Amino acid sequence: QVHLQQWGAGLLKPSETLSLTCAVYGGSFSGHYWSWIRQPPGKRLEWIGEISHSGSSNYSPSLESRVTLSVDTSKNQFSLKLSSVTAADTAVYYCARQRGAAIFDYWGQGTLVTVSS
Amino acid sequence: DIQLTQSPSTLSASVGDRVTITCRASQSISNWLAWYQQKPGKAPKLLMFEASTLESGVPVRFNGSGSGTKFTLTISSLQPDDLATYYCQQYNSDSRTFGQGTKVEIK
């Protein structure tokens, strides 16, 4: 059974850097792309970016300038950094496994990140 | 980016009713569409992919159809456990996008 467990700081000030990590338990880590998706309060889901086990990445054009994804294959973990956060970045952030083209079949539990001065 | 528009935004139906949700894409996405169910406070759950393929373990009362720019998710007989918000998601382009969601309420 596949399980994703994520963690990171939940309260940030404007201009700080958001940092989240997701650990993958079970299944194949190298056989998939891994994504971050966020959901602002009351709004639609927004895909942030994806990374493979080898570090190949692809980002949403709207966030690309502020996003860095990384992977640690020794720990089956991948991470998200989002720089220069503002209140608009307040959201629940999810990590997810991609299957096939870009179907998200396993999700982390979600982390509420609030940006407030 | 490819935009996805769902309708209705909210629907209220009775247990046993047939419920249909529509998702329209701003350009053709072939059949590269998935549907998710999200219950309050939980992560989304994959229901359907490639527009009409049911994910393993999902009840057969869920049915997906469509191609190109118009897609539908139908629940053949609404159950109390189906109370949730449903999202479509396209994966035709390198930038994945989601619809705004349809909240299903039980009368």
Side-chain angles (χ1 to χ4, degrees), chain B residues 9-82:
Chain B
S9 296
T10 306
L11 71 86
S12 182
S14 300
V15 171
D17 283 354
R18 181 182 181 90
V19 167
T20 299
I21 300 167
T22 299
C23 177
R24 294 182 185 269
S26 58
Q27 64 189 73
S28 178
I29 56 172
S30 185
N31 67 336
W32 301 118
L33 188 98
W35 289 96
Y36 299 84
Q37 176 192 65
Q38 186 178 34
K39 296 186 176 181
K42 300 293 186 181
K45 172 188 174 183
L46 177 65
L47 296 177
M48 200 87 57
F49 59 96
E50 290 179 15
S52 61
T53 302
L54 197 66
E55 175 70 351
S56 176
V58 173
V60 296
R61 63 179 180 273
F62 290 92
N63 182 68
S65 65
S67 66
T69 62
K70 184 181 178 183
F71 303 85
T72 59
L73 175 69
T74 300
I75 307 173
S76 61
S77 178
L78 190 67
Q79 300 301 305
D81 188 53
D82 301 335

Side-chain angles (χ1 to χ4, degrees), chain A residues 3-76:
Chain A
H3 179 67
L4 278 65
Q5 180 75 34
Q6 60 183 99
W7 65 90
L11 181 61
L12 297 172
K13 294 184 179 349
S15 80
E16 292 184 334
T17 296
L18 178 158
S19 181
L20 298 173
T21 298
C22 183
V24 179
Y25 302 98
S28 168
F29 188 77
S30 61
H32 298 272
Y33 268 73
W34 304 90
S35 270
W36 289 95
I37 296 160
R38 70 180 183 179
Q39 186 171 35
K43 295 188 177 181
R44 72 179 71 193
L45 296 153
E46 179 183 20
W47 177 76
I48 298 169
E50 64 189 11
I51 191 165
S52 71
H53 73 283
S54 63
S56 177
S57 59
N58 180 34
Y59 300 125
S60 167
S62 64
L63 295 169
E64 186 169 14
S65 62
R66 297 193 291 130
V67 173
T68 302
L69 300 187
S70 59
V71 64
D72 184 340
T73 55
S74 68
K75 297 180 180 179
N76 283 4

